[in-house]
Structure formats: C-alpha cells, structure tokens
Amino acid sequence: MALLQADHLTVYVAFHFVLITLLSFTSATPGRGSANVLSLPQPYDFLYYTGVRSYFGEEWVKAAELLEKAILTKESLSRVRRQCHEECVEAGREAFNRLDSEKGSLHDLWTLDWVQQRAECLRFCVGRSVSPAAQLPVSTDIDYEFGSRNPYNFLQVTYYKLEKLQKAASAAHTYFVANPSHLEMRNNIEKYRRMEGVMEEAFQDRELENENHWVLYDSAVQYEASSDWLKAAEKWKECVNETLRQTDECRLQCEMASQRLPEDRGVDGSKSVYEQAADLSLSLLSCRQSCVTQVATRPGRISSQEDFLPTQLEHRHIAQFKAGDVGGAVQTLRSLLLFYPSDHDSLDNLQLYSETLGGDTVSQGTQPAQEIVGYINRALDEKKLLYFGMENLDFSFTDPDLWTPEDVVPESLRDNWRAVKEKINMKMEEGEKKEEVDDSGFYAGGPVPQVGVTIAMDDTVLNGTNRVVLDDVMTEKECEKILQLATAATSAGDGYRGRRSPHTPHETFEGLTVLRAVKLAQDDMVNQTDARLFYELGERVKVLLHSYFRSPSILYTSFTHLVCRSAIAGDQEGRLDLSHPVHVDNCLLEPETNQCWREPPAFIHRDLSALLYLNDNFDGGDLFFTNRDAKRVTARVKPSCGRLVGFSSGPVNPHGVSAVTRGRRCALALWFTKEKLYRDMEREEAAAMWAAGGQSVMKNEEEEKESGASPARNARNQASRQGRGRVTGARDEL
C-alpha cells in the first residue's frame, strides 16, 4: 500500500493520526456497555416516517406528536454530540503530550493510546443518552426531507386540523423561509395573519438558530444600503463570527456522526485495514470540507454562494474604512488577502489604508485575525491530505473553494484541476453573458401601429434587451375612467384571493380582474362602459407589443389585473423594503448564483409582460430593472397616465417596484403567452357574457379565428386547463 512505502513516511504519519482516530470511532458498536439509555431511544428517521403515516391516516394528534418528536430528537442528537465532544477534549491528554518527544513505533503506540482513550470517552458519553439504533446514519432521503424542512409542511396542516392556529402559523412560516417560492404556503401565511387569535409572534423561524448568519448577512446589507457604515461594520463582524461558528458546528457533527464509505468503495476482503481506514478518514475530511458549501447555501436555495466568507470580509473592510476604523479595515483586508494574496484591488486598498494610517510601518504591524489564520491553515492541511488521497488512493473529492492555491494540488492532478477551474470560470462568464442574450423569440424595434403613441425609451435607454416604454397609449379621460372603476370595484387584497399585500406590510393592496368587472357591470354596480374599456385596453396593449416585439407567434392574453397599491399613512418612516421585490416573471430568480430556474411554481408559460400606468400622483412606486444579482439597477421607469412598459418575461429582465411611500399607485398588469392552452379563460367568459346580453367587445382578429370561442367550448377548455394544476389557481402581480 502507498501509505506504507518509505518515501511516503511523512504522509503516513499524518494519515496515521486521522485514520486510526476515525477507525476507532466507527468500528466500535455505538453505545456498547452502556445500559443507561436516557433520552434518545428511537431514531428520528423512524419517528418521522411513523408521523407521516399517521398524517396520511388523518390521525392528527398522533401525527403532531411524532413529527415534533422527530424534530426534537434530531436537534437533541446534535446537542449530545456537541456536549460529548467538549467533555472528551481532554481525554488521553497525557498520551497526546508525549507525541512530540517520541519517534518511530513509540510515536505510533502513543498515537494509538491517545486515540483509543478519546474514542472510549466519546462512545461512553454518547451511549449514555443515545441508543445504538439512534446513532446509525440516516438515509439521504431523510437528509433531504429535513434539509428542505418538509416536516414543518406536514405540521402546518396537522395543527390547522387540530385548530392550533398559532402553532400552524409558526410551522408555515418556518417552512416558507426555506421554500420562498411555494405560493400556496405564502397564501396560507396571509390567511393565518387574518385569523382571529393568531399573534404576530407566531411568525418566527423555528430553525433560526441554524440560519442566524443569513439574518446577520441581510441586516448588514441593509445597513450598507442606507449608508450606516458603523452599524454595517458591526453586523459584518457578527456575520463573520457566526459563519465561523456554524462551520465549526457542522464540522463537529461530521466528526461525531457515523461515517459511510462511498458506495463504490465498500469494505471487502481485498481491502487492507489501512485502506479501509483511509477510506473512512478521507470521508470524514471530505465531510468537513463540504461544510463550506452547506453554510454558504441560503435556506430555499439550490446552490451555495461562492466565496461566502471572503465576500463577508470584503464587505467588512469597506464598511470599517467608511466608518473611520482604518486600523480595523487593515486587519480585515489582511485576512482577506490570506484567501487571495495577489488580488490587485485588495492590494491597492491596502496601500490606500496604509497611507491613511500614516505609512507602511503602522500597517505592517497589523496582523490578520487569528481565527481566519486558523481557518485557512486547517483548510489547507485537509486539502493536502484529500488531494493525496485522490492521487494515490483513487478517492473522489470536489474542492468547495475557489481560493485553493495551485501548489496544494499534486503535479499529476494539476492539469485536470486547471481544466475544472477553467470550466467554472467559463460557466461564470456565460452566466454573465446570459443577461445580454434573450432566447424568447422577440425582437424589439418593430412598428407602433397606434396613431399618437410614441416610443419614450427603447433597449438602449433602458440598458437591456427586449424592453420598451410607450407613451400616450391611453388618454387622460380613459385613465380617469379606469381609476373610477378601481375606486368603485377593487376589493381589498389582490382581487382574487383576498391577500392584503403579498409583499410588504407598509402598503395596502387592491385588485380587480376582468371577469369580476363584467359581473359587477351586469349587476349595475359599475359603469358598463368602464368595464368594457378595461377589457379593450388589454387588446390594445397586445396589438402594440405584438407589433413592436415582432412576435412570429400569435400572442394570447394570459392574465389581466387592475392593481392599486396605497401607502399606509404613518407607517413609512425608515422603510428599506420594496413594494415588490426583484423577481423574474417566468422563472425562479436565484441572485446569489445568477441563475433563474424555469420550473414550477414559476409561471413558466409567460412570454411577454406589460404594465399600463394610470396615474402619477404618488411618491415612489418606480419600476426598475436589475442584473441577475438583483442589486445593480440598470434602468428606472416613472409611472404616468398612459405610459406602457413592455418586456420579455424571462431572465434577461429581472425587475421590481420601489416602495410607495405616499398616495395610491394604480396600473394594469398584463401577461401574454404563445401557448394557447394558457390563455386567460376569464376573458373569453367575459366576452361570452357580453355576447349573451346582445353586446360585443373588441377582439383580436387572429385570436378570434384561433379560439372559435363559444360558451360550450369555453367550459371544456376551462376544465382542461384546471387539470394542469395550479396554473389558474396561482396568480401574481407586478
């Protein structure tokens, strides 16, 4: 075996320490000799599966008890492992202290003695509270269930059935934090907020202890946005410390949990004891390294944030400098340079800070933070062993860090390592280029067929692709009519599900759909001419955008929504939120990775988006476009009567709405699709109702021909479309 060859003696000694340690931890039967199993007799995966069976059997009391026990048992197991790790730190200390003075076989014997004493301590300590079965590793399916917080999804329904609304709201909120695109849960949370007896304190994240570094991260970013550099620097410090703590906690769980061998490297007769030990040891080191990725993955996200810790240090040194703490900025910057020692921007900043302090002499005396030095050294030591395993033991390892220096990688692996790194860089560059490439099939710059309508802003002015602002699409009188309709007919909430506001508590939200307007007109609740104009404006917008974006396909209206947002008086001071956060209309935007996932629950059928504004007598409420990072604003559009904004609905056009801080902002939001299946059946139902009453409405000639609309056919199509799931049940608004 390579480890035992003379020319690998140094590496063997380094491995010997880790390998036998892990072999002792994992080869012994968990808890053997401990008859006093106190608190965790059952595995949490067993409790979870049993709870889910009770849930589907509608045994609500039993389901709630078992699901809560599963969550508590998982938390308790982690706590026991942590406590035992702390208790056994001193175990075998005498043998450990002799390692520096011994050589050869005596060194190995003292190593074995120390490892065995520590392993015995840990085995006995864990065995006092955890049964052998509860110490076994769980399946990857269970890891996924708890990682996605699915137990809280079951608990939310269970507590609702038991009429324990406070607990149901808490479970719903905890699940939603990790699944922010789950529209049904978002609606449930809004319902809980309106229910009698549900207090605001119910909406707390029960998993916050494990995700507090993200709370601190977001808080620091908010202070930066408001230029409060002193508080930003303080929050970045807390965020760095909490990130390091979470990483250490993750690493501890790797060490204390039973380790699995890779599936293709199981224990068999052909493996020597050293090879088996090496496999287990490398698996432990790989688990520890993966903690970087785990900690850097935000709840509800698919991918981790690259360079998570270095990014925090970069933000922190800038905040410190702007807050006047130049000495602190130098220390943080020197810590950052440990990751990227030749980064030109960092070196330039260091020179600037040094000159501000009064010269290089003062700056040279400032050393990097010791916790970062320890973090780097530990990571590099582990990477060296893992790359050695890749080179000599056919072990597979994916390095989670972009900052790993090349000299850590063995010469024989560097070509492949460079190729992988090059692919990552190319992928990142392609991700940036995707912002400039639109595969929607639309091509801005076509004719504007309506007399009097002018192009106010095009792609060039809006710094993007397939974006346009058209003015004078409506007259002042038409704006007044639709505003009157909004005053008379909009209902509190979104107009179809009664949500007060899906995005901010600082604004009220009112909505109206075309079908509801027609029904109100038939009941003489609103002016029929105004309701008909509401319908016709959708057709007018479609004709304009179909022409301007030179769509080769027929466009069908997917949804039309008259929506008004009003600032709540006295609730605007210090607002940092948005009226509508940055998003993309037909995919799930992931700003940290510049990705946009075109998958449900996103409205993947949307192809073209539009906003037709009705007024401007309010403060705030601008539409703005950003890059995929959701931070860099590329263009802003101020609303006014008759102004139409149109853009393709895909990832080239992330957008949001700034806070409405005074007054009432009203607009028609419209979406169009190329797929006939997803056309808005409510519009056809509205047309049929008018036709039945001897009236007519303007319809696009191509759509009329395509749909061949009749009441009977509408009913069949509506049933067909409802069979596609949540397409009709989940709307959205701009």
Side-chain angles (χ1 to χ4, degrees), residues 584-602:
V584 175
D585 285 345
N586 69 11
C587 57
L588 305 175
L589 181 64
E590 191 175 73
E592 291 82 2
T593 60
N594 287 338
Q595 297 293 323
C596 206
W597 306 97
R598 196 160 185 180
E599 58 189 37

Side-chain angles (χ1 to χ4, degrees), residues 474 478-496 509-517 520 526 530-531 533-535 537-538 559-565 610-615 664-671 680 682-683 732-734:
M474 297 173 66
E478 287 176 328
C479 287
E480 290 175 6
K481 284 180 173 292
I482 301 302
L483 285 171
Q484 290 173 5
L485 179 65
T487 301
T490 54
S491 57
D494 53 23
Y496 44 84
F509 191 74
E510 299 168 309
L512 179 67
T513 62
V514 170
L515 183 60
R516 176 172 169 76
L520 290 173
V526 299
D530 295 346
L533 176 61
F534 180 19
Y535 178 97
L537 285 170
F559 188 48
T560 307
H561 191 203
L562 170 57
V563 57
C564 295
R565 308 162 186 269
L611 275 169
L612 181 57
Y613 296 113
L614 304 176
N615 63 322
R664 187 182 193 219
R665 173 193 189 269
C666 293
L668 265 65
L670 307 103
W671 292 271
D680 189 353
E682 288 190 357
R683 293 183 66 84
D732 202 359
E733 69 296 314
L734 285 169

Side-chain angles (χ1 to χ4, degrees), residues 40 42-45 47 67-82 134 138 142-147 151-152 207 210 249 253:
L40 303 176
Q42 292 180 309
Y44 68 88
D45 54 349
L47 292 168
L67 290 169
E68 289 287 9
K69 275 187 178 180
I71 294 170
L72 179 61
T73 299
K74 184 177 185 296
E75 293 173 350
S76 299
L77 180 60
S78 297
R79 194 177 306 115
V80 167
R81 289 170 173 169
R82 188 185 317 116
V138 300
I142 285 292
D143 281 336
Y144 175 80
E145 287 290 295
F146 279 85
Y152 295 100
E207 297 281 334
N210 301 322
E249 174 67 20
Q253 296 300 326

Side-chain angles (χ1 to χ4, degrees), residues 526-588:
V526 299
N527 188 298
Q528 291 212 16
T529 304
D530 295 346
R532 192 176 302 114
L533 176 61
F534 180 19
Y535 178 97
E536 291 172 354
L537 285 170
E539 299 300 317
R540 187 183 303 177
V541 169
K542 182 171 64 176
V543 170
L544 285 168
L545 297 185
H546 187 277
S547 175
Y548 181 81
F549 287 114
R550 295 184 281 205
S551 174
S553 306
I554 295 173
L555 284 182
Y556 302 97
T557 304
S558 177
F559 188 48
T560 307
H561 191 203
L562 170 57
V563 57
C564 295
R565 308 162 186 269
S566 302
I568 298 175
D571 192 23
Q572 302 300 315
E573 186 175 352
R575 276 189 69 178
L576 295 174
D577 66 335
L578 298 171
S579 182
H580 194 140
V582 176
H583 62 286
V584 175
D585 285 345
N586 69 11
C587 57
L588 305 175

Side-chain angles (χ1 to χ4, degrees), residues 465-476:
T465 304
N466 282 331
R467 303 173 181 175
V468 70
V469 175
L470 303 176
D471 279 345
D472 300 318
V473 174
M474 297 173 66
T475 65
E476 290 284 350

Side-chain angles (χ1 to χ4, degrees), residues 264-277:
D264 60 341
R265 294 177 62 78
V267 177
D268 57 51
S270 64
K271 297 276 189 180
S272 72
V273 65
Y274 289 107
E275 289 175 310
Q276 294 172 23

Side-chain angles (χ1 to χ4, degrees), residues 644-666:
L644 171 65
V645 184
F647 50 93
S648 57
S649 303
V652 295
N653 286 319
H655 57 281
V657 178
S658 62
V660 178
T661 56
R662 182 192 65 83
R664 187 182 193 219
R665 173 193 189 269
C666 293

